[in-house]
């Protein structure tokens, strides 16, 4: 081949070689996921129950991922602002959301919701469940759940039922309790679980349904009356407490559950990697011990998967939608 043609072919090959190297480098970068810190968005303030779960989870997952998980608290509008932020975030595998029951109740509570929990996210898996307890003020004239049921039906709206505000799981529990008993209490909302508990301890309200993370210290100090737990089976942290189902409220189940989500369109490989780290964390003794201290229980392996979370979320949307609409409770 004449030298002039050889030089021309060599010059023509340089751009192709450069493109090949660039493509190879990109593939290597993608294969190295994650290669920088990941943001885990929490819809509630630092120090709250969901935030505590998120920080413990992130610390454990980072050991598997080899990258830091940065907790980002985005509060407001019952958790919908954080969900909207993640739904609109770049689907690159570096933004995730941890949320509780609020993901399932938002469609019924908010008539102008800017996202769809069922279609605008990729599912990662569930984390842990926190049981709820039904409490009465210490001097409430009803001992045991059967006495309380009788007392409730005789007194109806004379009974003041506290909750932690719109969309709180304590509010959901109260709505389900009233529907199950066929009575209407006088509902008294507070700006969080702490003031609601303070009101119960002070005798300003009669009844409160709240999670074990908040109620166990008061129960153990014998400052309230414990009527039962809201799970279908008795719980390890309160083994002597009967379930409400045991006392005639068939199928009564309310618990704070946590799921992890990513923006729709997040690469399946990133979701799978994050799920792998999630499942490893749920076996990490440091994480499981922290959850036990909170009275939380690690979900079964079947719920730790994307499909498990998707199935559960759909069932919760169906369950609470009817109850909320029947109660006529809306955020706007």
């Amino acid at each position: 081949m004449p030298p002039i043609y050889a030089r021309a072919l060599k010059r023509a090959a340089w751009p192709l070689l450069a493109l090949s190297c660039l493509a190879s480098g990109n593939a290597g970068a993608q294969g190295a996921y994650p290669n920088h810190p990941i943001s885990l968005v929490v819809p509630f303030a630092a120090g709250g129950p969901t935030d505590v779960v998120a920080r413990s989870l992130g610390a454990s997952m980072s050991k598997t991922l080899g990258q830091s998980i940065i907790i980002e608290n985005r509060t407001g509008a019952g958790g919908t602002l954080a969900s909207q932020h993640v739904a609109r975030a770049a689907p690159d595998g570096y933004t995730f959301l941890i949320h509780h029951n609020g993901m399932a109740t938002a469609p019924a509570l908010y008539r102008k919701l800017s996202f769809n929990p069922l279609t605008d996210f990729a599912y990662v898996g569930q984390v842990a469940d926190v049981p709820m307890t039904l409490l009465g003020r210490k001097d409430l004239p009803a001992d045991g759940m059967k006495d309380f049921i009788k007392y409730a039906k005789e007194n109806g709206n004379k009974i003041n039922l506290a909750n932690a505000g719109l969309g709180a799981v304590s509010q959901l529990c109260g709505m389900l309790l009233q529907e199950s008993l066929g009575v209407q209490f006088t509902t008294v909302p507070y700006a969080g679980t702490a003031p609601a508990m303070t009101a119960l301890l002070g005798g300003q309200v009669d009844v409160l349904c709240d999670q074990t993370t908040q109620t166990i210290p008061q129960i153990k100090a014998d400052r309230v009356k414990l009527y039962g737990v809201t799970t279908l089976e008795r719980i390890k942290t309160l083994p002597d407490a009967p379930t409400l189902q045991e006392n005639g409220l068939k199928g009564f189940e309310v618990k704070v559950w946590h799921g992890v989500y990513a923006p729709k369109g997040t690469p399946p490989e990133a979701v799978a990697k994050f799920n792998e780290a999630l499942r490893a964390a749920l076996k990490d003794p440091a994480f499981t011990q922290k959850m036990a201290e909170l009275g939380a229980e690690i979900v079964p392996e079947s719920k730790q998967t994307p499909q498990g979370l998707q199935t559960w979320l759909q069932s919760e949307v169906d369950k609470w939608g009817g109850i909320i609409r029947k109660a006529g409770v809306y955020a706007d």
Side-chain angles (χ1 to χ4, degrees):
M1 177 183 296
I4 188 171
Y5 293 128
R7 287 194 298 270
L9 286 173
K10 186 175 182 180
R11 286 195 298 270
W14 288 342
L16 295 176
L17 179 62
L19 286 173
S20 175
C21 291
L22 181 61
S24 175
N26 285 342
Q30 291 174 358
Y33 173 86
N35 55 25
H36 61 79
I38 296 169
S39 176
L40 181 59
V41 179
V42 179
F44 308 106
T50 300
D51 178 75
V52 172
V53 172
R55 291 179 188 276
S56 300
L57 182 67
S60 182
M61 290 179 65
S62 65
K63 293 184 287 188
T64 300
L65 294 168
Q67 288 290 342
S68 297
I69 294 181
I70 299 172
I71 303 302
E72 181 181 348
N73 299 93
R74 284 183 172 262
T75 64
T80 60
L81 292 184
S83 300
Q84 174 184 289
H85 169 74
V86 174
R88 296 177 178 177
D92 56 6
Y94 289 93
T95 302
F96 291 84
L97 169 73
I98 182 169
H99 204 343
H100 66 18
N101 310 52
M103 278 291 272
T105 58
L109 283 173
Y110 295 86
R111 286 182 273 197
K112 297 179 181 179
L113 200 62
S114 60
F115 62 91
N116 188 326
L118 294 171
T119 60
D120 291 346
F121 297 89
Y123 302 94
V124 178
Q126 285 184 250
V127 183
D129 295 335
V130 183
M132 304 285 284
T133 50
L134 179 63
L135 307 178
R137 56 181 167 84
K138 185 62 178 176
D139 58 350
L140 193 68
D143 297 317
M145 189 60 190
K146 290 184 179 178
D147 276 354
F148 175 75
I149 293 173
K150 182 175 182 292
Y151 179 80
K153 292 186 176 181
E154 290 174 350
N155 290 276
N157 61 11
K158 295 179 183 178
I159 297 173
N160 292 322
L161 171 67
N163 67 50
L166 183 68
V169 184
S170 58
Q171 183 197 32
L172 302 179
C173 185
M175 284 192 283
L176 183 59
L177 179 65
Q178 292 173 87
E179 181 175 272
S180 299
L181 294 175
V183 299
Q184 192 71 38
F185 299 141
T186 297
T187 300
V188 185
Y190 288 86
T193 56
M197 177 60 76
T198 298
L200 183 71
L201 295 174
Q204 284 83 47
V205 294
D206 303 307
V207 186
L208 171 66
C209 185
D210 204 1
Q211 56 186 296
T212 53
T213 52
Q214 309 293 326
T215 63
I216 283 180
Q218 309 303 337
I219 293 168
K220 291 187 174 180
D222 196 30
R223 301 179 67 192
V224 293
K225 285 189 175 181
L226 172 61
Y227 291 121
V229 296
T230 64
T231 47
L232 296 180
E233 298 179 357
R234 295 194 181 198
I235 62 175
K236 296 177 182 177
T237 48
L238 295 169
D240 296 328
T243 68
L244 299 194
Q245 179 170 251
E246 287 178 51
N247 284 285
L249 301 188
K250 186 176 180 181
F252 195 104
E253 182 180 27
V254 185
K255 55 191 175 184
V256 182
W257 54 270
H258 301 84
V260 178
Y261 309 81
K264 183 179 180 179
T266 297
E269 297 81 4
V271 173
K273 185 76 173 180
F274 211 68
N275 174 261
E276 178 186 344
L278 170 66
R279 288 185 286 110
L282 301 188
K283 294 181 176 66
D284 181 357
F287 180 73
T288 57
Q289 176 61 33
K290 183 64 177 179
M291 293 303 99
E293 292 172 1
L294 296 174
E297 299 178 350
I298 304 299
V299 298
E301 290 188 2
S302 61
K303 288 188 174 183
Q304 298 173 15
T305 65
Q307 184 59 54
L309 174 57
Q310 182 177 15
T311 299
W312 179 255
L313 178 63
Q314 181 67 69
S315 69
E316 287 285 279
V317 168
D318 295 341
K319 172 181 177 177
W320 292 110
I323 294 173
I324 292 170
R325 284 187 286 269
K326 184 177 178 180
V329 178
Y330 299 103
D332 53 7

